[in-house]
Amino acid sequence: MKRSSIALCLCLCIAAAAEKPAPIPANVQRALDDITPSDLRGDLSFLASDTLQGRYTPSPGLEVAAEFIASQFRAAGLQPAGDQDYFQMANMVDRRMLVMKSSMTLQQGSETTTVPAQFIAVLDSNGTAKIEHAPVIALKSKDPALLKELELKGKAVVVPGLVPGQRRDLNTYLQTRAFDEAVAQSGAAVEITLNQTRAPVQPAPRLIEAAEAQQHRTPSLTVVSDDLSKWVEHPGAASEPRTISVDIPAPEDKNVVVKNVIGVLPGSDPTLKDTYVMMTAHYDHIGTTETAGRSANNRKPAGNDHIFNGANDDGSGTVSVIEIARALASLQPRPKRSMVFMTFFGEERGLLGSRFYGHHPRFPIAQTVADLNLEQVGRTDSTEGPQINTASLTGYDYSDVTKYLEEAGRQLGVRVYMDKSASDPYFTRSDNASLAESGVPAHSITVAFDYPDYHGLGDEWQKVDYDNMARVDRMIALGMLDIANSATAPQWNAANPKTGPFREAQKKLLGSGRGQ
Ligand SMILES: [Zn+2]
């Protein structure tokens, strides 16, 4: 095994190298060679087995997965870094919004219109709300700047959602989130998002932090109504005050506890050891045909199969974190910075585990220099064609984390490239986004962005290319090691305006020790 991988490295390096990559020290090469296709296959055939029932958040299968990952971190010699051994316990509420029971009343002067209950869906509400004659503020878009100098307390904020065909680019996404959050905290009576389709879609149940589920928040509805749309089209034309009355039912809540799994390899440098390089992946998936809901690509059971095994998404990333941790933990001397290995719950239900970590970090975010988030690194049969010895990063030109992986790729014969159609849109679609929004240069590393069994029943461990995954994982391990041993921390690319919100978030952290 060792001999053949060295031979492969040599021939690919000679072919690829215009400038000669730095040689890999013998002890590092030995550690990298410990990442083997058979270890990855062994781990993944368990994590993606039917026994774990598709690792839905929350579910007994997810619990078993967490125990397995913790046991592997223990075997690797990582130090536990949760609040209970390797587990970061998250108290959550599993919340289902109930359907509307009564209509909504719109009033202007003596004119009254009703919107029937079936054209209304509750998106967010922390309890029952009885709203009577709330004055209307109609806005043309979810631009947080429009909220400045508006008194929202007690008002009904009416605003269009995305219109069909409108692209949800990074800026729209961040603006919409900031807008909704600002209204939720404002003391407004209700936020009403106009829906363009015939009937609003009842939202899937959501997991919320238990503490948050008790706070006061402005309830949020989505509504289809031509009358309301007209109010938005002519926001200034009303001579008589316009009001909205509506009764919002309380949600159905269930308390659950779920876990992130966290281990750390302490750094060896007296100063740099207080800075952290993270490697992450989500260990949850979408469960079975009963739990998957709209996230399933195909909800019909195929023969006897009703389990979404999520081997590539993201069992592949999870077992890679395990095997890379094991390999790097064997290094003597240890890397200079501390390395944090973490697997998240609840990515499939909205990046929940990573958001939870962002709110409750176990290591100072200001001293966290990078996050390498692994997503779909196992399958090579991309819908774009075979992906052999290649890997891509989302937000490719957002930070110089990319440079470390490009160099590791040159050293090991893996082509690290920018996928122009995926780099921007996928940046916010995985857990790296939660870290990036906290200011940490964070990317997802992927082999195939799209593949035939994505969120399908056929995402099975037998279809993974383990030889390729081992080669890509060695490259990622080497890139992480180079970041951990570098005296300078990776930086956001200030020349790219798309990094603005992340640099802003990072600026808020400055002064608390970042930038080593
Ligand atoms: Zn995923």
Side-chain angles (χ1 to χ4, degrees):
M1 175 48 64
K2 200 195 281 180
R3 266 174 62 171
S4 72
S5 71
I6 287 173
L8 176 77
C9 169
L10 283 177
C11 70
L12 287 172
C13 289
I14 289 162
E19 46 193 287
K20 221 170 144 202
I24 300 171
N27 68 323
V28 173
Q29 186 65 57
R30 267 197 305 277
L32 297 179
D33 288 343
D34 265 354
I35 301 168
T36 67
S38 61
D39 284 346
L40 292 164
R41 183 188 285 110
D43 294 344
L44 191 53
S45 63
F46 176 73
L47 265 187
S49 64
D50 281 357
T51 305
L52 272 66
Q53 294 281 305
R55 308 187 305 279
Y56 186 68
T57 306
S59 72
L62 190 77
E63 291 295 295
V64 174
E67 284 294 347
F68 172 73
I69 296 158
S71 76
Q72 298 303 302
F73 283 179
R74 199 172 284 123
L78 301 188
Q79 289 185 5
D83 47 292
Q84 285 187 21
D85 200 29
Y86 291 95
F87 300 130
Q88 179 180 39
M89 311 299 281
N91 291 306
M92 309 287 282
V93 165
D94 205 344
R95 170 170 286 181
R96 181 187 301 275
M97 295 299 167
L98 298 186
V99 293
M100 290 288 291
K101 288 183 200 78
S102 55
S103 57
M104 180 163 93
T105 310
L106 316 177
Q107 204 157 11
Q108 182 165 23
S110 56
E111 246 177 77
T112 301
T113 330
T114 59
V115 181
Q118 69 264 32
F119 293 115
I120 310 168
V122 187
L123 296 178
D124 187 12
S125 161
N126 274 5
T128 321
K130 196 172 173 62
I131 293 152
E132 284 178 317
H133 301 293
V136 169
I137 292 182
L139 298 171
K140 293 229 168 186
S141 75
K142 290 197 173 185
D143 177 356
L146 298 176
L147 297 173
K148 274 189 195 135
E149 287 161 42
L150 282 180
E151 178 50 61
L152 300 181
K153 213 171 172 71
K155 307 277 171 57
V157 180
V158 182
V159 61
L162 286 185
V163 293
Q166 187 182 349
R167 265 194 55 206
R168 202 188 184 95
D169 58 16
L170 178 62
N171 244 341
T172 330
Y173 163 85
L174 291 171
Q175 278 210 340
T176 303
R177 268 196 38 188
F179 181 94
D180 288 339
E181 197 48 40
V183 176
Q185 311 272 355
S186 68
V190 60
E191 179 185 355
I192 298 174
T193 302
L194 289 166
N195 192 314
Q196 304 288 326
T197 52
R198 296 294 299 167
V201 183
Q202 186 70 19
R206 284 192 310 136
L207 272 184
I208 309 158
E209 283 188 41
E212 204 178 291
Q214 267 113 51
Q215 281 163 16
H216 179 81
R217 285 172 75 80
T218 295
S220 169
L221 306 177
T222 175
V223 172
V224 181
S225 161
D226 288 342
D227 296 293
L228 266 184
S229 296
K230 276 178 212 139
W231 286 9
V232 168
E233 278 154 33
H234 307 284
S239 50
E240 290 176 290
R242 303 182 289 200
T243 67
I244 285 178
S245 302
V246 61
D247 282 355
I248 301 170
E252 198 177 80
D253 284 349
K254 205 172 97 199
N255 291 319
V256 298
V257 180
V258 282
K259 300 158 182 166
N260 287 327
V261 191
I262 316 175
V264 63
L265 190 63
S268 60
D269 182 272
T271 313
L272 292 178
K273 73 174 171 38
D274 295 325
T275 67
Y276 306 89
V277 189
M278 282 172 61
M279 177 171 288
T280 57
H282 70 91
Y283 73 98
D284 71 307
H285 194 59
I286 60 176
T288 64
T289 44
E290 287 91 81
T291 58
R294 285 192 294 278
S295 50
N297 222 346
N298 176 8
R299 253 181 289 176
K300 269 201 225 112
N304 283 331
D305 192 4
H306 68 291
I307 298 165
F308 296 93
N309 302 86
N312 196 36
D313 181 14
D314 190 24
S316 66
T318 302
V319 300
S320 296
V321 169
I322 290 170
E323 293 305 325
I324 291 170
R326 197 205 304 278
L328 295 179
S330 70
L331 276 175
Q332 288 300 338
R334 289 204 156 163
K336 292 180 181 169
R337 298 182 194 270
S338 296
M339 290 178 161
V340 179
F341 297 92
M342 189 174 332
T343 63
F344 296 122
F345 67 84
E347 191 268 356
E348 302 288 2
R349 294 190 66 182
L351 316 184
L352 299 177
S354 55
R355 289 251 151 82
F356 186 88
Y357 183 83
H359 297 160
H360 311 279
R362 301 291 300 165
F363 301 97
I365 294 281
Q367 271 125 261
T368 304
V369 300
D371 170 39
L372 306 178
N373 183 56
L374 312 189
E375 266 275 10
Q376 300 175 191
V377 291
R379 293 274 289 255
T380 50
D381 56 337
S382 162
T383 47
E384 309 272 302
Q387 305 291 320
I388 308 294
N389 289 336
T390 63
S392 190
L393 280 81
T394 63
Y396 197 86
D397 51 354
Y398 289 11
S399 90
D400 51 16
V401 165
T402 306
K403 299 276 170 298
Y404 290 89
L405 291 160
E406 282 177 347
E407 173 63 12
R410 275 192 291 273
Q411 289 171 287
L412 286 167
V414 173
R415 188 173 74 93
V416 177
Y417 73 102
M418 178 174 190
D419 183 323
K420 287 216 169 74
S421 63
S423 176
D424 283 352
Y426 279 90
F427 187 73
T428 49
R429 288 204 212 158
S430 187
D431 290 311
N432 64 290
S434 304
L435 277 302
E437 284 167 27
S438 306
V440 178
H443 306 257
S444 286
I445 305 173
T446 297
V447 169
F449 286 98
D450 195 16
Y451 59 101
D453 297 301
Y454 174 77
H455 281 202
L457 293 164
D459 188 1
E460 314 261 9
W461 64 266
Q462 291 90 340
K463 295 181 186 172
V464 163
D465 182 341
Y466 293 97
D467 290 334
N468 192 73
M469 178 152 68
R471 289 193 296 268
V472 169
D473 283 355
R474 290 181 201 125
M475 179 279 290
I476 298 168
L478 185 57
M480 186 190 200
L481 184 62
D482 290 342
I483 296 172
N485 283 332
S486 169
T488 52
Q491 297 300 326
W492 290 108
N493 176 9
N496 186 336
K498 288 177 188 131
T499 64
F502 313 122
R503 282 183 286 122
E504 274 306 304
Q506 192 187 43
K507 227 186 261 171
K508 285 190 198 149
L509 296 170
L510 278 176
S512 38
R514 215 202 120 77
Q516 310 240 16

